[in-house]
């Protein structure tokens, strides 16, 4: 196990390579003491990315994704956190600062199209603090300025645990 520096929960739903350095890994860790953790030695040792501590709160970080320009996206929140405790965040300055693009108490997954970094797809899950409403998938085609919810055809839209963007067929989402 290469968990030196990770919290005891070890609930790691996503790992991503730094797009500019394949020796650097990021781990999204959920639960108490979770957050975004970084390893610069191929995963042997981990340290928390300090700029994400206030975003992770009591539930940690759910996902990390890099766009083609190297911008980092993270999601946060959980089923029982306060209404404004989660969301989708982007950093365009090497994780020094973060800007919230989507405010929802449990944003689960994020994907950004390789063919256009303005196309962002997210999945949200229901949260008890907002009466379990509005879970589902959302799409932005303008870098997160506006969002369209699209759940038509999803049998259980409030339970979408993973998403993907087809990189060969524009406008095709999974």
């Amino acid at each position: 196990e290469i968990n030196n520096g990770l919290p005891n929960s070890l609930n790691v739903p996503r790992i991503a390579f730094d797009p500019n350095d394949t020796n650097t890994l990021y781990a999204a860790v959920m639960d108490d003491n979770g957050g975004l953790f970084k390893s610069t030695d191929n995963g042997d040792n981990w340290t928390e990315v300090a700029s994400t501590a206030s975003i992770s709160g009591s539930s940690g970080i759910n996902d990390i994704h890099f766009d083609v320009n190297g911008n980092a996206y993270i999601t946060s929140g959980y089923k029982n956190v306060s209404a404004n405790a989660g969301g989708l965040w982007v950093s365009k300055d090497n994780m020094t600062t973060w800007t919230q693009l989507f405010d929802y108490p449990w944003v689960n997954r994020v994907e950004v199209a390789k063919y256009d970094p303005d196309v962002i797809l997210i999945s949200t899950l229901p949260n008890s603090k907002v009466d379990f409403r509005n879970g589902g998938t959302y799409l932005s085609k303008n870098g997160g300025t506006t969002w369209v919810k699209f759940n038509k055809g999803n049998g259980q839209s409030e339970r979408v645990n993973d998403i993907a963007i087809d990189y060969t067929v524009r406008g095709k989402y999974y």
Side-chain angles (χ1 to χ4, degrees):
E1 293 183 359
I2 54 172
N3 301 326
N4 187 30
L6 291 178
N8 290 335
S9 77
L10 296 181
N11 186 348
V12 182
R14 189 74 72 199
I15 294 177
F17 285 100
D18 185 300
N20 299 313
D21 180 5
T22 57
N23 292 319
T24 300
L25 297 167
Y26 291 92
V29 181
M30 294 177 61
D31 297 329
D32 290 340
N33 300 315
L36 185 64
F37 289 79
K38 178 180 181 178
S39 172
T40 57
D41 57 8
N42 298 306
D44 287 335
N45 297 284
W46 298 89
T47 57
E48 186 171 11
V49 177
S51 64
T52 64
S54 63
I55 296 169
S56 60
S58 64
S59 59
I61 300 297
N62 303 324
D63 198 4
I64 179 168
H65 183 84
F66 292 95
D67 70 14
V68 294
N69 297 323
N71 298 319
Y73 295 78
I74 58 173
T75 64
S76 64
Y78 196 60
K79 65 183 172 184
N80 58 359
V81 299
S82 65
N84 60 356
L88 169 68
W89 304 79
V90 64
S91 177
K92 297 183 177 185
D93 58 7
N94 201 29
M95 299 188 197
T96 301
T97 62
W98 295 87
T99 302
Q100 188 173 36
L101 296 179
F102 192 84
D103 183 12
Y104 186 78
W106 191 0
V107 179
N108 192 36
R109 296 285 170 252
V110 58
E111 289 287 326
V112 181
K114 289 183 180 179
Y115 56 79
D116 183 352
D118 283 338
V119 176
I120 306 168
L121 181 66
I122 61 172
S123 69
T124 65
L125 297 173
N127 174 281
S128 63
K129 302 296 181 179
V130 292
D131 299 323
F132 298 101
R133 71 180 184 275
N134 288 333
T137 51
Y138 292 81
L139 177 68
S140 176
K141 292 184 177 180
N142 55 14
T145 302
T146 60
W147 295 89
V148 174
K149 182 179 180 182
F150 66 101
N151 287 339
K152 187 175 182 179
N154 291 345
Q156 295 179 319
S157 57
E158 78 283 359
R159 294 182 184 170
V160 177
N161 289 311
D162 206 0
I163 54 175
I165 297 174
D166 192 312
Y167 297 128
T168 59
V169 180
R170 287 178 181 251
K172 192 171 188 177
Y173 311 102
Y174 303 94

